[in-house]
Amino acid sequence: GCAGIPAQKDAGFKEACRVNIRKTTERDLPRLMEIYAYARAFMAAHGNPKQWGATLWPPEALLRADIREGNSYVCVDEADRVLGTFYFVQGKDIEPTYREITDGSWLDDSPYGVVHRIASAGTEKGVGAFCINWAYAQCGHLRIDTHGDNVVMQRLVEKLGFVRCGTIHVLEDNYPRLAYEKTGNP
């Protein structure tokens, strides 16, 4: 693969090397707002109107903070056009909402990476898988959560080898989230 990304048979990219991951910059913000608007419409059209739609999640102020803190990433093509975006951070016990899990338990309590706010522009297939695989390659232990109505994301993470571990609750709304984890060597 390229840039430390394992080769992906089902990513949808004809040439995985023509895309890359880089940190988000302030100049990317208008594109991120477009991508999140598209993602909200896509989720609503696929049976998941509540996850981000009710609150117009994520708010611009949060995205600006993610960029300032260096935790926002974009997937770009060879012309540096933004195809997708996500939040990624790693460390020990880094996600406060993951401290309490019900209906199950995490597989491993070692340091982990977490992906949040992943969204694609819808212009290329496989962007979500590429981003998640990149994040996993950074740390070899990744956690992610999604709304119970987000069947598209549930199928994606299960296809990528994640195991459903239980339920967590987020601060931004009252809808429980399905918690997934993938451990092992990247």
Side-chain angles (χ1 to χ4, degrees), residues 88-135:
F88 171 72
V89 67
Q90 58 182 320
K92 178 72 176 160
D93 198 26
I94 53 167
E95 176 51 64
T97 61
Y98 288 178
R99 290 183 187 138
E100 189 175 323
I101 185 169
T102 58
D103 304 321
S105 63
W106 295 112
L107 303 173
D108 183 341
D109 69 350
S110 67
Y112 60 89
V114 63
V115 169
H116 288 311
R117 300 185 278 288
I118 186 166
S120 164
T123 56
E124 296 269 356
K125 287 185 177 228
V127 170
F130 189 84
C131 294
I132 291 170
N133 283 335
W134 177 88

Side-chain angles (χ1 to χ4, degrees), residues 63-79:
L63 299 176
R64 286 184 185 280
D66 291 347
I67 293 168
R68 267 193 319 276
E69 294 163 8
N71 298 325
S72 179
Y73 294 84
V74 288
C75 177
V76 296
D77 66 12
E78 66 278 359

